[in-house]
């Protein structure tokens, strides 16, 4: 396996009695869109928290561009190009859409850069088909539009790695197509490494060249979309051919 641009190795996370991640190794390379799927509670968001530096793992290491960043903060990682979106949206509702993208670049600081930050925000909004919403308050947006704004904010400062946690959740079919186009553009044209968590299996299968399946905190399977789809263990745990587990699962 290639070392990848961002690589988690042997990650363990416990929450009291819950063993949320067990010896998880995942990596993603430049220009690649890698899917991360699995039932509710499989550990997908926890893995994103570890990759983005929001949670320190109990064991294991994170490497970025060949350097160990396990002890680097989430702020350091964001500033060095590792960006994420959130399953539960985290936009600044009382700011406009444009300002959400401007503040994402504020660390570049200084009056000198203020005009550049606005220019960059406008360009990204345009790329994401959001020109008309630039002046709207983010808090008043329908969920599907807010998902696109969250993605746009993650792109405001050019990312090298994108961690997308259910970006298509709550979107219409049209919005999903727009999201897919932007994600594909980031991988193909910007050489970005994308790790995509999504319950919409069709969305994942269409976009991802490789898919990793998590179940009960472990990597259950890994392969091309077709390989993963055909894997009996994956079908039983997640894709609906087996008995299922609990009411919460929603691979839709
Ligand atoms: N802060 C926390 N405290 C205690 N337990 C937690 C915490 N966060 C997650 N967990 C538990 O860790 C496990 C993994 O949760 P996680 O949110 O990573 O799953 P997920 O794969 O993202 O699920 P979903 O598809 O529902 O988003 C679950 O059993 C969850 O209840
Ligand atoms: Mg989650």
């Amino acid at each position: 396996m290639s070392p990848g641009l961002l690589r988690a190795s042997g990650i363990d996370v416990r929450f009291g009695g819950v063993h949320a991640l067990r010896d998880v190794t995942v990596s993603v390379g430049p220009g690649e869109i890698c899917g991360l799927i699995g039932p509710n509670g499989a550990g997908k968001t926890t893995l994103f928290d570890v990759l983005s530096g929001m949670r320190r793992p109990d064991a294991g290491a994170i490497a970025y561009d060949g350097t160990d960043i396990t002890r680097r903060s989430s702020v350091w990682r964001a500033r060095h190009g590792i960006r994420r979106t959130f399953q539960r949206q985290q936009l600044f509702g009382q700011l406009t859409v444009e300002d959400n993208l401007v503040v994402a670049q504020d660390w570049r600081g200084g009056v000198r850069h203020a005009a550049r930050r606005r220019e960059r925000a406008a360009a990204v909004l345009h790329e994401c088909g959001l020109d008309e919403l630039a002046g709207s308050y983010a808090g008043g947006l329908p969920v599907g539009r807010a998902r696109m704004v969250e993605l746009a904010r993650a792109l405001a400062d050019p990312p090298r790695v994108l961690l997308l946690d259910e970006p298509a959740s709550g979107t219409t079919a049209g919005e999903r197509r727009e999201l897919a186009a932007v994600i594909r553009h980031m991988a193909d044209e910007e050489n970005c490494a994308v790790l995509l968590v999504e319950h919409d299996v069709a969305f994942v299968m269409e976009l991802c060249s490789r898919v990793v399946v998590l179940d009960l905190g472990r990597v259950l399977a890994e392969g091309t979309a077709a390989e993963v789809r055909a894997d009996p263990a994956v079908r039983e745990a997640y894709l609906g051919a087996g008995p299922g587990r609990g009411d919460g699962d929603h691979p839709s």
Side-chain angles (χ1 to χ4, degrees):
M1 193 201 290
S2 84
L5 177 59
L6 184 66
R7 180 183 177 84
S9 333
I11 300 294
D12 252 69
V13 172
R14 287 174 185 274
F15 299 107
V18 176
H19 205 160
L21 294 173
R22 309 165 187 243
D23 195 23
V24 169
T25 294
V26 170
S27 72
V28 61
E32 181 187 27
I33 307 176
C34 176
L36 182 63
I37 65 172
N40 295 123
K44 305 178 296 293
T45 297
T46 303
L47 183 59
F48 271 21
D49 289 346
V50 169
L51 288 168
S52 61
M54 300 178 80
R55 181 172 298 285
R56 192 63 58 80
D58 296 307
I62 310 292
Y64 181 42
D65 220 357
T67 304
D68 189 311
I69 60 161
T70 314
R71 305 194 71 78
R72 295 288 192 179
S73 69
S74 56
V75 171
W76 187 94
R77 294 184 207 192
R79 289 179 180 180
H80 286 78
I82 302 173
R83 302 284 153 59
R84 72 174 292 182
T85 65
F86 293 87
Q87 181 171 358
R88 297 171 133 211
Q89 291 179 9
Q90 308 270 345
L91 288 173
F92 300 114
Q94 62 285 57
L95 297 185
T96 65
V97 166
E98 184 188 13
D99 282 345
N100 266 273
L101 271 69
V102 171
V103 297
Q105 309 167 68
D106 265 0
W107 67 280
R108 295 208 176 270
V111 180
R112 262 183 328 123
H113 290 110
R116 269 239 292 279
R117 295 197 293 264
R118 290 228 169 254
E119 253 169 51
R120 171 74 190 170
V124 172
L125 289 175
H126 182 69
E127 182 70 41
C128 295
L130 292 169
D131 304 86
E132 277 155 33
L133 293 181
S136 305
Y137 285 100
L141 298 177
V143 66
R145 292 286 78 188
R147 291 274 177 213
M148 182 60 98
V149 174
E150 252 216 353
L151 175 57
R153 187 175 59 178
L155 311 182
D157 207 59
R160 295 182 71 202
V161 175
L162 269 178
L163 308 172
L164 306 177
D165 200 348
E166 303 198 22
S169 171
T171 60
T172 64
E175 288 165 344
R176 275 198 292 282
R177 274 195 298 278
E178 290 176 25
L179 283 164
V182 173
I183 294 167
R184 199 183 285 289
H185 170 85
M186 289 310 296
D188 291 353
E189 311 299 328
E190 309 292 333
N191 210 29
C192 197
V194 182
L195 201 51
L196 172 67
V197 168
E198 189 46 68
H199 283 291
D200 181 337
V201 173
F203 188 83
V204 171
M205 297 298 178
E206 186 203 318
L207 273 173
C208 299
S209 47
R210 189 162 60 85
V211 177
V212 175
V213 185
L214 274 187
D215 182 43
L216 299 172
R218 297 175 195 276
V219 175
L220 177 70
E222 181 173 356
T224 64
E227 284 164 357
V228 160
R229 204 199 279 274
D231 187 316
V234 175
R235 298 183 74 85
E236 170 146 354
Y238 186 57
L239 293 177
R245 198 169 39 226
D247 296 324
D249 296 4
H250 58 280
S252 51

